[in-house]
Amino acid sequence: MGHSVLVVEDDTEIRELLRRYLERAGFAVVSTASGAQALDLLGRHVAALVVLDLGLPDVDGLEVLRAARSDGQVPVVVLTARGAVEDRIRGLELGADDYVTKPFSPTELVLRVQAVLQRTGGRAEPADLSYGDGRLRIDEARHEARWDGALLDLTPTEWGVLAALAAVPGRVYSRYELINRVRGYEFAGYERTIDSHVKNLRHKLGADGPRVVRTVQGVGYRLGLSRDR
Ligand code: CA
């Protein structure tokens, strides 16, 4: 899995279009229609870059932009339908890394995202990662995981959960975040479905399952192994 991109866009069609194109380009996409949720996700450092629609229903997009730039300096590619000169100027003042005016070509947007990530130092390099003194190995390019050397037969959802948890070992992921990362869209009210996927994933990991995928009461899950050097 490549870099995580947070897509903040209240237009469902555009949001899903962006997801498809970004995922095809190898990015892991988290998306939301809500500015408030975007602020929450930014606070939890889920993204290497944000694609941000400025015209959001609940919070001023510029507010989200400001938060992204102040909190950990996450690069932002702004989408705007308004095309208003003052928005553009204001956005650039606040540190937007690039601008795309709607209607836009999704292919071009993906190229801009890649260019911004290269310019700002991040480059997606699929890696073969190792955790817990080599007991867990994750091959991002092949979407494969091995436990004690044996290939795990995972469903796409189980793989997605494991890859998300392994992205930042020890970090606690809420059910919302996991389902969003795996399914890619809001699953309000269905967050509990993640529990059954976690249960199956643990089962496949054998006796150590619950220690590899740890429950954090009242919050969600985290990887119980540290990454090997
Ligand atoms: Ca909008």
Side-chain angles (χ1 to χ4, degrees), residues 137-152:
R137 304 192 74 91
I138 290 191
D139 184 335
E140 295 186 325
R142 293 183 175 178
H143 279 214
E144 283 178 2
R146 284 174 189 276
W147 179 248
D148 285 343
L151 189 64
L152 295 168

Side-chain angles (χ1 to χ4, degrees), residues 8-11 14 33 53-57 79 81 102:
V8 189
E9 165 64 82
D10 59 308
D11 183 312
I14 296 178
D53 173 33
L54 282 185
L56 297 169
L79 297 176
K102 293 177 189 172

